[in-house]
């Protein structure tokens, strides 16, 4: 098989929920970490590496130390990965790199968040608050709407094609009982009939924020024989950061994932066309459209015709976000990016149940932070 740079040995996932009551983020981190370590067949004392998100609600500083203390761990490597929605995928290759550097042997990568009816506010002194927000570029909806407008203006892409992405996500979510929209399909007409939130973005083209958590355990390739479940190998990774504010983006119709995916494919010796699963970050429909084009699956501006030519279900020729993606599963804050990693692991292990892809061997996982700003791509493979 292709060279393995590390192995995902365990996964954990909490069912998304709209709101939590009386549950702290630390408690959720502890539970999803327990599930991942148990799934890996390891004891907590064997975890000697820890990667976490930039803050956990209750702890804006000293986050690795706080979580290590709470979990009873004493890692020899600990760090914060702050790449927005790309944090989950970014943790995986950093864990593998730390293991290869001899810093640790088994790394817990964990993201989770609770969700209260009135979430606490945190100060933000980012330059975007001075130079963008006063002119109306406030929040993700406005910024991604700008990207969608740019794509439609440049390529004459159709609203129906973007809506098809959301409809496909909802369709796939019907086979995932844990998805927030399980039992709630929506076709293209329903997506287009939903309210405009930021023109041209409709409500159903935007992720629903939820509470939840995801975790994975990464170990060295040498430990494969001691694992209790089929290993999933990290075959390639790529990363690229180009800007923070959308006003500073070098391009509005292509993003840093293009470079990240190119590197991941080159490192793994694969191509986009070989992937059995496309586990693509989907905070908005425009993000999926751009990723399809930047991956080289079709020419720029042609994602709509590509969608019409392919079946995105688990039984189709191009399975995409078989768990429902964030548009169908829900977005548990930064853990939203990790849901794509967890689903890829399930598919490559053959553990996806009713939505299992036949003979899944390769998966592309992407992560995206800020406004098409921070990008990570992984190529994962079954044994």
């Amino acid at each position: 098989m292709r060279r393995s740079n590390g192995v995902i040995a365990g996964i954990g996932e909490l069912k998304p929920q709209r709101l939590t009551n009386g549950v702290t983020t630390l408690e959720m981190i502890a539970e999803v970490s327990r599930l991942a370590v148990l799934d890996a067949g390891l004891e907590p004392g064997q975890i000697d590496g820890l990667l976490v998100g930039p803050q956990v609600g209750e702890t804006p500083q000293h986050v690795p130390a706080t979580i290590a203390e709470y979990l009873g761990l004493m890692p020899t490597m600990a760090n914060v990965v702050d790449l927005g929605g790309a944090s989950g995928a970014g943790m995986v290759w950093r864990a593998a790199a730390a293991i290869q550097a001899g810093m640790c042997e088994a790394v817990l990568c964990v993201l989770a968040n609770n969700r209260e009816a009135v979430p606490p506010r945190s100060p933000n002194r980012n330059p975007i608050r001075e130079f963008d927000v006063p002119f109306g570029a406030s929040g993700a909806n406005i910024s991604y709407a700008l990207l969608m407008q740019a794509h439609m203006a440049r390529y004459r892409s159709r609203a129906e094609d973007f809506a098809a992405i959301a409809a496909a996500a909802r369709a796939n979510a019907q086979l995932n009982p844990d998805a927030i929209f399980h039992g709630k399909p929506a076709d293209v007409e329903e997506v287009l009939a939903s309210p405009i939130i930021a023109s041209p973005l409709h409500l159903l083209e935007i992720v629903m924020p939820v509470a939840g958590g995801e975790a994975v355990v990464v170990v060295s390739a040498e430990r494969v024989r001691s694992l209790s479940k089929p290993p999933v190998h990290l075959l390639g990774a790529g990363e690229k950061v180009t800007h923070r504010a959308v006003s500073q983006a070098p391009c509005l119709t292509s993003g840093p994932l293009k470079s990240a995916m190119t590197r991941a494919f080159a490192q793994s010796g694969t191509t986009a066309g070989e992937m059995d699963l496309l586990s693509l970050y989907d905070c908005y429909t425009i993000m999926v459209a751009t990723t399809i084009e930047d991956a080289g699956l079709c020419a720029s501006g042609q994602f709509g015709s590509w969608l019409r030519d392919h079946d995105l279900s688990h039984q189709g020729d191009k399975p995409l976000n078989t768990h429902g993606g964030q548009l169908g599963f829900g977005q548990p804050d930064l853990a939203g990016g990790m849901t794509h990693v967890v689903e890829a692991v399930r598919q490559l292990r053959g553990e996806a149940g009713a939505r299992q892809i036949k003979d899944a061997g390769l998966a592309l996982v992407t992560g995206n932070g800020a406004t098409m700003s921070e990008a990570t791509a992984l190529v994962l493979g079954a044994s």
Side-chain angles (χ1 to χ4, degrees):
M1 65 170 283
R2 297 176 174 91
R3 179 178 178 272
S4 176
N5 297 299
V7 171
I8 298 178
I11 56 175
E13 182 174 76
L14 302 182
K15 183 174 180 176
Q17 49 187 316
R18 199 70 180 96
L19 295 171
T20 53
N21 183 24
V23 179
T24 67
T25 299
L26 281 171
E27 287 177 280
M28 298 179 74
I29 284 175
E31 175 58 14
V32 77
S33 297
R34 182 187 71 82
L35 294 173
V37 173
L38 186 66
D39 187 64
L42 299 176
E43 296 294 329
Q46 294 176 279
I47 300 296
D48 57 358
L50 178 64
L51 294 177
V52 297
Q55 71 167 305
V56 296
E58 300 90 5
T59 309
Q61 289 183 307
H62 310 296
V63 185
T66 300
I67 293 177
E69 178 185 78
Y70 196 81
L71 300 182
L73 304 177
M74 295 186 181
T76 57
M77 184 283 294
N79 216 324
V80 169
V81 180
D82 184 3
L83 290 170
S87 299
M91 288 178 177
V92 173
W93 79 256
R94 284 169 171 78
I99 291 169
Q100 290 182 5
M103 294 296 295
C104 47
E105 295 183 0
V107 183
L108 172 66
C109 308
V110 59
L111 292 162
N113 71 281
N114 67 353
R115 184 169 176 80
E116 301 171 353
V118 182
R121 299 189 61 150
S122 59
N124 187 333
R125 296 179 181 176
N126 193 292
I128 192 174
R129 297 290 178 179
E130 181 177 357
F131 298 106
D132 289 57
V133 172
F135 300 95
S138 176
N141 290 341
I142 297 295
S143 298
Y144 280 92
L146 176 63
L147 298 180
M148 190 169 171
Q149 285 181 340
H151 197 283
M152 296 176 87
R154 182 171 184 178
Y155 298 115
R156 298 184 181 276
S157 44
R158 307 183 312 164
E160 293 85 348
D161 293 329
F162 290 104
I165 292 170
R170 285 292 192 96
N172 286 344
Q174 304 317 300
L175 293 178
N176 183 0
D178 287 342
I180 200 77
F181 288 116
H182 179 69
K184 299 176 182 179
D187 59 22
V188 170
E189 289 71 25
E190 289 173 291
V191 174
L192 294 176
S194 64
I196 289 283
I197 300 301
S199 181
L201 274 170
H202 296 82
L203 176 64
L204 300 190
E205 296 181 88
I206 302 170
V207 291
M208 177 181 283
V210 296
E214 312 281 326
V216 302
V217 174
V218 179
V219 301
S220 67
E222 289 71 28
R223 297 186 65 170
V224 167
R225 293 179 181 176
S226 64
L227 300 180
S228 58
K229 293 198 173 184
V232 171
H233 298 269
L234 172 62
L235 304 179
E239 196 164 279
K240 184 77 170 181
V241 177
T242 53
H243 61 284
R244 167 59 183 90
V246 69
S247 62
Q248 305 303 310
C251 179
L252 296 180
T253 56
S254 177
L257 264 173
K258 186 170 186 176
S259 172
M261 289 186 288
T262 297
R263 184 181 290 270
F265 291 140
Q267 195 177 102
S268 61
T270 64
T271 65
E274 293 179 76
M275 298 297 114
D276 299 304
L277 168 65
L278 299 171
S279 197
L280 308 184
Y281 194 92
D282 61 333
C283 50
Y284 296 83
T285 54
I286 176 59
M287 191 65 225
V288 179
T290 304
T291 304
I292 288 169
E293 295 174 357
D294 281 350
L297 290 165
C298 64
S300 297
Q302 297 300 309
F303 83 91
S305 58
W306 185 88
L307 289 174
R308 291 189 290 275
D309 289 340
H310 297 287
D311 182 346
L312 309 185
S313 73
H314 74 285
Q315 296 176 318
D317 60 325
K318 293 295 178 184
L320 190 153
N321 292 342
T322 46
H323 64 310
Q326 295 178 92
L327 289 168
F329 179 82
Q331 186 188 60
D333 203 64
L334 298 186
M338 188 75 88
T339 68
H340 295 279
V341 178
V342 170
E343 176 65 10
V345 172
R346 283 202 178 102
Q347 289 286 357
L348 295 174
R349 282 179 172 183
E351 295 178 347
R355 63 182 188 272
Q356 180 63 50
I357 298 168
K358 184 178 180 181
D359 301 325
L362 290 171
L364 169 66
V365 179
T366 64
N368 161 68
T371 309
M372 213 159 72
S373 311
E374 305 156 310
T376 305
L378 307 175
V379 174
L380 303 180
S383 294

